[in-house]
Amino acid sequence: MSETRLVIVMRTDLGMGKGKMAAQAAHAAVIAALRSQSTPAFADWWRAGQPKVVLKVADEDTLGLVVAAAEEARLPVEVVHDAGRTQVVSGTATCCAIGPARHDELQPVTGQLSLL
């Protein structure tokens, strides 16, 4: 059986500080968890200790391609749009969360991306 995990994909072109990126990743994880909490994948992920991996993309276009690939693969995907109170303009797509889902389902969508 393939491990269930949550993947967060972060844009690196926005000049966000480490704390801002951490906050955006936390937003993504919370949104994904809340939206999937009634699913078998969530139950597996929860029992496994909520494994997460944070990957990076260079820009908004690449984030959009990853989101589209996740949707095409029928994976749960949530895009975080910033409120614009600190480092980026309101509405900016900063990252996305994909899953929780099995590693073998995520691999075709995110396997080519590097760790943040």
Side-chain angles (χ1 to χ4, degrees):
M1 181 175 185
S2 184
E3 180 182 316
T4 302
R5 63 188 65 196
L6 179 67
V7 174
I8 297 167
V9 181
M10 185 71 58
R11 285 178 60 185
T12 59
D13 63 321
L14 295 172
M16 294 183 291
K18 291 176 185 176
K20 179 68 171 179
M21 285 194 284
Q24 296 302 295
H27 289 317
V30 169
I31 293 165
L34 290 174
R35 296 241 169 109
S36 68
Q37 63 185 337
S38 63
T39 67
F42 176 87
D44 291 344
W45 177 71
W46 189 263
R47 280 191 297 273
Q50 310 90 50
K52 296 163 218 60
V53 61
V54 183
L55 306 174
K56 62 183 174 180
V57 292
D59 53 37
E60 184 175 20
D61 290 341
T62 309
L63 181 66
L65 292 172
V66 171
V67 169
E71 290 172 341
E72 185 174 320
R74 297 180 172 256
L75 292 169
V77 59
E78 303 291 340
V79 178
V80 174
H81 292 89
D82 193 70
R85 293 187 199 101
T86 57
Q87 298 179 18
V88 297
V89 174
S90 178
T92 301
T94 57
C95 64
C96 73
I98 306 171
R102 289 190 337 259
H103 175 70
D104 62 339
E105 295 173 319
L106 293 162
Q107 190 64 17
V109 175
T110 62
Q112 77 284 5
L113 301 176
S114 299
L115 291 170
L116 179 66

